Amino acid sequence: MIVGAVPLLLLLPLVAGQWGPLIAFDRSLAQSLHDAITPSPGLAHGLEVWTDAFGTWAMRIVSLLAAAWLLIRRQVSTAVWAGATVFLANLFGLILKVTVDRPRPEFADPVAVGVGPSFPSGHALMAVTGMGILLFAVLPLLRGGWRMFAWVVAVGIALSTALTRPLLGVHWGTDILAGMSLGLFTIALTLLLWTFLPPIARRWDRPSPTSAPKA
């Protein structure tokens, strides 16, 4: 849990305090990515399609559908875990966005336009959270190589979705690291709390060895 939070804990005071070297790095990276993407409208469009397909709202829906599916399977406490995780991830992200209130990158010829404060990236946060919830929901049902395949798909979608944001010029690079870190921290925190639930909290769960999410 602490490991997942390390990037966020390191970046938060530096971003909030507008530490010069970090701000200069973010601006240099943002300009370099913008210069690389601008001449390729087809690539930019593909990035926009991907970031929308696996964006903030899409991952919220995926998370809630996973929770509903777990509930149908009578994995009640795990469904509550999934719902609590997506709720807390959004709450933590909103609190940080409002508190830090970091402006987004600005360009004379923007590839895409984002709204709201920049830190942390909501897309990066929800990509990690949504795919993490889905992964832990389905892993108990998979065996052998399918488990590794699920991990590769989940990590690939989360990472690629997060990377679309600085490529499109709507987030700073450090926003992405912070968002992914916050997502990992939230999942770890809620899984830890879920692990220590008393037996009475699981009284509606279907008795099954596959009722708990496993890494």
Side-chain angles (χ1 to χ4, degrees), residues 69-70 73 75 134-144 146-147 206 208-214:
W69 177 71
L70 288 165
R73 296 183 67 243
Q75 307 305 324
L134 184 60
L135 180 65
F136 282 112
V138 302
L139 272 183
L141 305 178
L142 303 178
R143 295 293 181 269
W146 286 108
R147 291 172 66 87
R206 173 184 295 166
S208 167
T210 63
S211 63
K214 301 176 183 178

Side-chain angles (χ1 to χ4, degrees), residues 28-80:
S28 176
L29 178 62
Q31 189 63 57
S32 297
L33 293 176
H34 178 73
D35 292 343
I37 297 298
T38 300
S40 306
L43 175 58
H45 177 69
L47 291 170
E48 288 190 277
V49 170
W50 188 268
T51 203
D52 289 340
F54 298 102
T56 305
W57 275 106
M59 288 296 100
R60 287 170 180 161
I61 293 171
V62 165
S63 300
L64 294 177
L65 287 176
W69 177 71
L70 288 165
L71 195 59
I72 292 172
R73 296 183 67 243
R74 287 180 53 198
Q75 307 305 324
V76 180
S77 65
T78 315
V80 172

Side-chain angles (χ1 to χ4, degrees), residues 16-201:
Q18 293 288 293
W19 189 52
L22 183 68
I23 301 305
F25 166 78
D26 264 339
R27 288 176 177 169
S28 176
L29 178 62
Q31 189 63 57
S32 297
L33 293 176
H34 178 73
D35 292 343
I37 297 298
T38 300
S40 306
L43 175 58
H45 177 69
L47 291 170
E48 288 190 277
V49 170
W50 188 268
T51 203
D52 289 340
F54 298 102
T56 305
W57 275 106
M59 288 296 100
R60 287 170 180 161
I61 293 171
V62 165
S63 300
L64 294 177
L65 287 176
W69 177 71
L70 288 165
L71 195 59
I72 292 172
R73 296 183 67 243
R74 287 180 53 198
Q75 307 305 324
V76 180
S77 65
T78 315
V80 172
W81 161 77
T85 301
V86 69
F87 172 78
L88 288 176
N90 280 276
L91 178 62
F92 293 158
L94 178 61
I95 290 173
L96 284 178
K97 279 182 176 289
V98 172
T99 301
V100 178
D101 197 24
R102 186 186 199 187
R104 292 176 183 262
E106 292 185 1
F107 302 97
D109 53 341
V111 175
V113 178
V115 295
S118 187
F119 183 91
S121 165
H123 276 67
L125 167 62
M126 285 312 302
V128 170
T129 303
M131 294 312 298
I133 289 172
L134 184 60
L135 180 65
F136 282 112
V138 302
L139 272 183
L141 305 178
L142 303 178
R143 295 293 181 269
W146 286 108
R147 291 172 66 87
M148 179 57 66
F149 177 75
W151 271 102
V152 170
V153 170
V155 172
I157 290 178
L159 185 59
S160 60
T161 302
L163 290 177
T164 62
R165 308 308 286 165
L167 288 171
L168 288 170
V170 293
H171 272 292
W172 307 104
T174 48
D175 297 339
I176 305 308
L177 291 176
M180 297 183 72
S181 176
L182 182 57
L184 290 173
F185 168 76
T186 305
I187 291 173
L189 173 64
T190 54
L191 275 176
L192 180 63
L193 296 174
W194 182 90
T195 301
F196 288 101
L197 281 176
I200 191 173

